[in-house]
Amino acid sequence: MPPSYCPHCGTAAPEGARFCMKCGREQPTAAGAGDPVPPALPPMAPPPGHAHRPTPPGYAPVRPSPAGEFLGRAMRGDWVGSLKAAAWPTGLILALAVALAIPSYGQGDDVVVGWSDRLRIALAMLLQAFGGGFEVRAAGPGSPYGSGSDGSGGSDAFGSGYGTTGQAGATLSLVPLTVTVLWVGALLLASRAARKQGGGMEAAVRISALVTGAILVLGLFAQPDIAGVSVSSSPLLAALGALVLSLLVTGGVLQQDAAAQWLAQRPAAHAVVRATGTAVRALGAVVALCALIGFIAYADVDGVDGTAMLLALPMLPNIGLAVLGVSWGAPVEYDVRGEFGWFGSGMEHGGFGLSELGDAVNGWAVTGAVLTGVVCALYAGVSAARRSVDRREQAIAGGLFLVLYLLLTGLSGVSAELAGDVAGVGGQGMAEIAPSVPDALLFGLLWVGGAVLVAPHLLRLVGRPAGTTAPAPAWGPGTQPQPPAWNPPAQTPPMTVPTATPQPTPYPPYDPRTVHLGPAAATTAAAATAARRRSVVVWSVTLVAAVVLGGGVTAGVLFLKSDKGDDQQPPAAAAEDDKPAASGSSDSAPPEADPTPSPTSVPTTSPTASATAPPAAPTVPGGYRMVSDSAGFSFAVPVQWDRESEKNHQITYAGSTGRAELKVGVIRNAPYTSYENFRNLERIADANQKNYRRLQLGANTFQGLQGAIWEYTYEDKQSGETIHAIDQSYIADDGTEYAIYTTERDRYWSDARQIFDTALSTWMLNDLD
């Protein structure tokens, strides 16, 4: 008999034993269970350091969240196919950058910017299509435009717009829409190829991640240092914009089937999507036509060479939007403020519209522009009418067309800011050229709204009704429709006598010349023809009236704007007609609010922001002396101070020791108000100065004339000391702006403020004529 084993601990037990010799438990065989029990498996010992925990009832492993499962599927997917799709838009950007880097741009034999540096600069320019930036910074601590009396750079931010407020630099802001459109097109083709291979939303995530990574790498590469000038491309912003665009494009293409099923159950959303497609197609065709017209006109301008035309190619949609705006009556506005080494100094604002086009070319150019606007508006209206199911969808398409047009118009402008001497270009200020968005909204509502109303009637006149119609019948012109066969209920067939089966007679081909109408039908047809002719006359007159009304309203608005602009007086003349009384003086600080002065009256800020009008015979305090400058002014300075220099329209008075100085800026025929100029300069100072802090900035009156005062502090980048500055500016009766400016270390500010107050209280203009 085989040995028995304890069922509890597995120890072999002698035959007939009642209890186990190891664990002491009773054996079943001894209790009369019969057959021996097989040995039990020894319990598995838990790992060292871990206690055995029994599995609770109902336990199930934790599953990842839906988002985690989605990301897991995306990470485990086909990365090779996604990499092939991402190579399309990335290769496009590289190809465009190589094409732009080939010309030397007039460097001749002495090439300073080599091909690789031009490639990196071109990439930085192109990445603005996704929201990147283009900023140029001088590597040195300052520039000739920003050196103070002590030789330190970047400490001058006085009120007439001269000098730098920190490290010299320039910023260019534009969106090359040609690059954006081509990149989206390449990404669209790549997404369609991935869709044919069965890619879903997981593939969209992979493609977007790869595209974003490529743009980030290109942005980091596109930051060269050339001859002491550093270029920055804002790679993080460019990567973020590329991520958003790529997710929208790839997700829309790869989820097209699922989106179609979702939209089929929601008619309202489906109508909006159809209207959006109609608006995008119409706007694309309109902008392409206007871009072609604008490019041809640009190529015909004298002095435009092949390099200039190459640089204009990335901005063709920008040019097209400007041409469309001018054709509809919205001018392209330009705004230049500050001092530029090539263009002089001052502030200039204006626009180029239909009236300026007629003056620059001739009346036929204006006629052509208006006809272009009519064609573009009618095309938008006809597209909305033909591709829409009903009038509601047509109105939605027209509204979306206008919204997209305004959005792109706001992105199509070009602006630049300059502070200091960068790559041989010196100055400080900003320049901007862009279509007028408010005018584009006004005239866009007029033209697009009129076209949406007129287009269905135009289609009806030419025999092509608007809206989506039912499918055409399946028969051709040579056959006639057959009535549907009638199937009688199944019955027992009766007894019939066989007869000859008659053959069907075919209908002759339809020929409208052989159709004879009865008297009633002929009368109805004649009435329909007469009604059609009356409808043609009515809607032709309506179309002509709509065009005349639209053109008349456009011309009227332009005339009123032009007439209003002619009636406006310059700030100096307005101040001469209505001079506010001078306010008192106090040491309290003004609030942070910045009231905008009107052209005819200047609001007076708190007492500190107003300078006391000097008496008829100024009293010179002890330790000061009156100086009479050849620039046409007199004021009191400390007896140890002398006239040191005059450059960039600034006259400097200072002593032989210390940092304190008085600077007087003189701008003849200043085309701005002092308050506007200070607000402009503060933006540049805030962006360039270290730890800039405004103490006061506001419009005021100085000696009964409109002016402004600006007081602030900043940290000197070389010494780390806090610098205190204050500037009082005003415009005299002859239109000349005078700015009295002083700066000193903050710990010595009390003495400098006394010098400044004495200069203001003794200020006089000399009659040099």
Side-chain angles (χ1 to χ4, degrees):
M1 175 176 282
S4 61
Y5 297 90
C6 177
H8 304 288
C9 63
T11 304
E15 183 180 357
R18 184 176 179 182
F19 298 96
C20 177
M21 299 177 62
K22 183 177 182 180
C23 63
R25 297 185 181 183
E26 184 178 6
Q27 302 299 306
T29 54
D35 296 335
V37 179
L41 295 177
M44 182 178 295
H50 294 272
H52 176 71
R53 296 180 180 179
T55 303
Y59 171 79
V62 179
R63 296 180 59 86
S65 63
E69 292 182 350
F70 173 78
L71 291 178
R73 293 194 305 269
M75 295 298 106
R76 294 189 300 268
D78 182 16
W79 283 96
V80 176
S82 301
L83 183 61
K84 293 179 180 179
W88 289 46
T90 306
L92 172 69
I93 296 296
L94 288 174
L96 292 176
V98 170
L100 290 175
I102 291 176
S104 61
Y105 299 97
Q107 296 185 84
D109 297 333
D110 187 13
V111 178
V112 178
V113 184
W115 183 85
S116 61
D117 291 330
R118 295 199 300 270
L119 176 64
R120 299 170 76 178
I121 293 175
L123 282 173
M125 297 286 290
L126 294 176
L127 291 184
Q128 292 185 101
F130 317 112
F134 187 84
E135 187 175 5
V136 180
R137 288 289 177 189
S143 67
Y145 290 84
S147 57
S149 61
D150 60 349
S152 63
S155 63
D156 187 6
F158 103 103
S160 298
Y162 307 104
T164 62
T165 58
Q167 187 181 20
T171 302
L172 177 66
S173 299
L174 65 91
V175 180
L177 292 176
T178 301
V179 182
T180 308
V181 172
L182 292 178
W183 188 83
V184 170
L187 190 59
L188 187 65
L189 295 176
S191 302
R192 288 184 175 179
R195 181 169 174 261
K196 292 180 180 179
Q197 298 177 0
M201 197 62 193
E202 295 85 354
V205 172
R206 291 192 298 269
I207 295 174
S208 301
L210 292 172
V211 167
T212 303
I215 294 298
L216 181 60
V217 171
L218 293 178
L220 294 174
F221 175 72
Q223 300 189 98
D225 291 330
I226 308 168
V229 176
S230 177
V231 178
S232 175
S233 60
S234 301
L236 292 179
L237 292 178
L240 180 60
L243 175 63
V244 174
L245 281 177
S246 57
L247 283 176
L248 290 176
V249 175
T250 56
V253 173
L254 296 177
Q255 292 295 308
Q256 184 175 0
D257 296 337
Q261 296 178 1
W262 185 85
L263 292 174
Q265 302 175 359
R266 296 165 177 83
H270 197 187
V272 174
V273 172
R274 285 197 308 266
T276 304
T278 301
V280 170
R281 295 184 183 186
L283 184 60
V286 166
V287 172
L289 173 63
C290 293
L292 178 62
I293 296 174
F295 187 73
I296 293 175
Y298 175 73
D300 192 49
V301 176
D302 295 336
V304 175
D305 54 2
T307 302
M309 295 179 65
L310 177 64
L311 293 177
L313 290 178
M315 300 185 63
L316 282 180
N318 306 60
I319 298 174
L321 290 166
V323 171
L324 179 60
V326 172
S327 300
W328 282 353
V332 177
E333 296 182 341
Y334 58 89
D335 192 1
V336 180
R337 301 182 182 182
E339 178 186 357
F340 299 90
W342 290 352
F343 307 104
S345 61
M347 184 179 77
E348 187 176 357
H349 178 80
F352 185 86
L354 290 176
S355 58
E356 290 79 11
L357 179 63
D359 296 337
V361 186
N362 51 41
W364 288 107
V366 177
T367 304
V370 173
L371 289 178
T372 301
V374 172
V375 170
C376 293
L378 288 180
Y379 181 82
V382 170
S383 299
R386 291 187 60 187
R387 299 178 60 86
S388 301
V389 176
D390 51 18
R391 298 286 291 183
R392 181 182 60 180
E393 184 176 335
Q394 180 186 353
I396 295 174
L400 291 174
F401 178 92
L402 181 60
V403 170
L404 293 175
Y405 163 65
L406 293 176
L407 177 63
L408 294 180
T409 299
L411 295 175
S412 63
V414 180
S415 64
E417 291 188 8
L418 180 64
D421 189 0
V422 182
V425 181
Q428 177 174 328
M430 63 172 294
E432 181 179 6
I433 177 171
S436 174
V437 177
D439 290 329
L441 173 61
L442 172 64
F443 295 114
L445 283 172
L446 173 68
W447 287 102
V448 176
V452 169
L453 292 176
V454 171
H457 308 296
L458 287 178
L459 292 176
R460 196 174 298 125
L461 291 180
V462 298
R464 302 185 68 175
T468 303
T469 57
W475 58 84
T479 60
Q480 295 291 337
Q482 299 294 334
W486 176 70
N487 296 323
Q491 295 180 356
T492 302
M495 296 294 294
T496 56
V497 178
T499 57
T501 304
Q503 298 295 328
T505 302
Y507 288 97
Y510 170 74
D511 188 357
R513 293 172 298 180
T514 61
V515 176
H516 301 282
L517 301 176
T523 303
T524 305
T529 302
R532 183 183 181 88
R533 290 176 180 175
R534 287 194 301 271
S535 178
V536 170
V537 174
V538 170
W539 289 115
S540 298
V541 173
T542 302
L543 175 61
V544 173
V547 173
V548 171
L549 178 62
V553 173
T554 303
V557 173
L558 292 176
F559 175 77
L560 290 176
K561 292 177 63 177
S562 175
D563 185 63
K564 181 180 179 181
D566 294 338
D567 292 340
Q568 288 180 348
Q569 296 179 347
E576 185 176 359
D577 294 340
D578 186 13
K579 298 180 182 179
S583 60
S585 172
S586 176
D587 294 334
S588 61
E592 287 294 321
D594 295 329
T596 302
S598 65
T600 56
S601 63
V602 180
T604 302
T605 60
S606 63
T608 301
S610 298
T612 305
T619 302
V620 180
Y624 290 82
R625 64 184 180 91
M626 288 291 294
V627 293
S628 181
D629 198 276
S630 59
F633 60 87
S634 299
F635 67 118
V637 298
V639 293
Q640 301 89 356
W641 284 23
D642 292 313
R643 193 180 198 266
E644 288 196 345
S645 63
E646 179 179 358
K647 63 179 181 179
N648 295 334
H649 305 278
Q650 304 183 38
I651 299 99
T652 302
Y653 284 84
S656 58
T657 60
R659 182 188 175 97
E661 61 184 5
L662 277 170
K663 288 189 177 183
V664 180
V666 182
I667 300 296
R668 310 292 180 187
N669 300 319
Y672 50 76
T673 66
S674 299
Y675 179 79
E676 292 173 348
N677 193 30
F678 281 166
R679 289 292 301 274
N680 231 0
L681 292 170
E682 188 189 35
R683 291 176 50 220
I684 304 175
D686 190 21
N688 293 276
Q689 288 285 18
K690 184 178 181 181
N691 295 331
Y692 168 84
R693 185 169 69 93
R694 179 209 291 181
L695 300 181
Q696 60 170 324
L697 173 61
N700 70 350
T701 55
F702 180 77
Q703 297 188 1
L705 299 175
Q706 63 172 348
I709 191 168
W710 179 23
E711 185 177 2
Y712 59 94
T713 62
Y714 64 94
E715 181 180 335
D716 185 77
K717 294 183 179 180
Q718 293 184 349
S719 63
E721 287 192 276
T722 300
I723 306 301
H724 203 136
I726 190 170
D727 196 344
Q728 170 65 54
S729 177
Y730 79 104
I731 296 179
D733 292 335
D734 61 352
T736 301
E737 183 193 36
Y738 295 93
I740 305 97
Y741 167 78
T742 189
T743 178
E744 177 58 287
R745 289 180 288 266
D746 191 55
R747 52 179 172 167
Y748 303 131
W749 179 243
S750 58
D751 296 336
R753 181 58 189 260
Q754 182 180 1
I755 296 174
F756 178 75
D757 292 338
T758 303
L760 294 187
S761 63
T762 57
W763 177 268
M764 294 178 60
L765 295 182
N766 300 330
D767 188 5
L768 299 180
D769 298 332

